[in-house]
Amino acid sequence: MIYCVNHRTWRHFGGALASQFELRYKMLVDAQYWDVGRFQGMEYDSYDTPAATYLVWLDKDGVARGSVRTVPTDRSYMLKDLWPNIVEKIPLPQSLSVWEATRFCVDSSLPKDVRRQIKHELVCAFLEFGLKNDVREMIGVMPPKLWKSCFIEAGWDIEFLGPEKQVEGGDIIVAGLMPISLAVLQKVRATTGIAGPVLLTAREAGDDQERDRAGADPQREHDLVAGYSDPAATPTAGLPGPGRLVEVNDDNADNATSRAA
């Protein structure tokens, strides 16, 4: 299950927020030696603000094994700030209905089939999040082979927004725009074999006393959060997308979902 964590819902999901910072540290700092912000085993940057929402895949022990950060493009965002010149086909988005997603991570220490399942569930979670939050499109940047292995092969069509570009460090990246709709979600579910909703969202105006009474009991906690309802009855909208992924210690693109910018 994937948890939707933001400034209104983090208290419902225990240590999910901190755990995704720890996963990012493991994948970006420990594994790749990125020179990025860090504190006590957690990685962060200037886009970790109250405007960010995190989609976090937790294992049975409550440890983040996959995550992505999403932000609306009506404010500072990574593609606009760092690589605006790779977007040529459209003006850079600046809208609450277009989101960017970055720091897409899947724990590379997991078996290949588990990594693939987490990747597929995160892709579905993007779409479910968008449909629930009136997001029309997502924008992101990553190496072309990772666009293919993570999203195109999952059934999500991409419009590339400019030419491929080599950036500092030798990575080849390209920006992409991905539409959010019920039809896309249905296609991705059919392609990946995911039968139903994967995203849990806490009640944003929940009763803290009820949360306290629920304590750590898993069933009560499940009852407290509102599961995503099947979008068959939801208007089409749009969503945030993944950021730049970097292949490390894997020998094919399917396994390269380990790290993201």
Side-chain angles (χ1 to χ4, degrees):
M1 186 61 68
I2 295 174
Y3 297 87
C4 183
V5 185
N6 58 35
H7 72 290
R8 293 186 178 182
T9 68
W10 65 266
R11 67 187 182 276
H12 295 295
F13 297 129
L17 184 61
S19 190
Q20 66 85 31
F21 285 125
E22 292 168 345
L23 174 64
R24 285 162 48 178
Y25 186 93
K26 175 181 178 180
M27 307 309 294
L28 304 178
V29 179
D30 279 349
Q32 298 190 91
Y33 309 107
W34 281 20
D35 184 16
V36 290
R38 78 285 299 273
F39 178 73
Q40 296 185 353
M42 295 181 285
E43 184 274 331
Y44 69 94
D45 66 14
S46 61
Y47 305 102
D48 291 304
T49 73
T53 292
Y54 304 86
L55 308 180
V56 186
W57 194 102
L58 296 179
D59 67 14
K60 62 181 178 60
D61 297 315
V63 176
R65 300 295 189 175
S67 67
V68 65
R69 175 184 63 199
T70 69
V71 297
T73 62
D74 68 332
R75 63 201 63 239
S76 176
Y77 62 98
M78 188 178 291
L79 178 57
K80 179 180 178 181
D81 294 345
L82 300 183
W83 304 295
N85 59 324
I86 70 173
V87 177
E88 297 183 355
K89 292 185 178 181
I90 63 170
L92 282 165
Q94 188 171 351
S95 171
L96 285 170
S97 65
V98 181
W99 287 53
E100 179 195 53
T102 51
R103 293 301 196 260
F104 187 113
C105 295
V106 177
D107 191 335
S108 63
S109 68
L110 298 172
K112 179 179 178 179
D113 60 334
V114 177
R115 295 198 308 271
R116 183 181 296 113
Q117 181 67 20
I118 294 172
K119 176 186 66 176
H120 288 165
E121 290 186 13
L122 283 170
V123 170
C124 287
F126 289 153
L127 288 156
E128 293 178 22
F129 175 81
L131 288 167
K132 285 185 67 71
N133 291 279
D134 197 27
V135 183
R136 185 182 71 250
E137 295 164 326
M138 81 84 173
I139 193 168
V141 57
M142 66 178 65
K145 65 181 178 181
L146 297 185
W147 277 117
K148 179 181 178 182
S149 68
C150 295
F151 297 94
I152 296 173
E153 290 181 357
W156 203 348
D157 296 326
I158 299 166
E159 178 186 359
F160 292 118
L161 300 178
E164 297 177 8
K165 179 179 177 62
Q166 186 171 19
V167 295
E168 183 178 354
D171 293 327
I172 303 296
I173 61 172
V174 62
L177 186 74
M178 301 169 74
I180 307 299
S181 71
L182 175 58
V184 174
L185 176 59
Q186 291 172 332
K187 181 181 178 183
V188 168
R189 284 180 175 172
T191 302
T192 61
I194 294 175
V198 299
L199 188 65
L200 275 179
T201 57
R203 297 182 308 188
E204 294 191 350
D207 183 338
D208 286 340
Q209 291 181 347
E210 177 64 19
R211 169 49 166 88
D212 292 340
R213 286 195 295 271
D217 180 73
Q219 184 59 49
R220 293 295 302 279
E221 188 70 8
H222 183 274
D223 293 341
L224 180 66
V225 297
Y228 178 79
S229 59
D230 194 322
T234 307
T236 59
L239 165 122
R244 169 172 162 246
L245 282 82
V246 181
E247 180 177 6
V248 175
N249 297 328
D250 283 316
D251 46 24
N252 61 63
D254 182 63
N255 290 341
T257 59
S258 302
R259 313 178 189 19

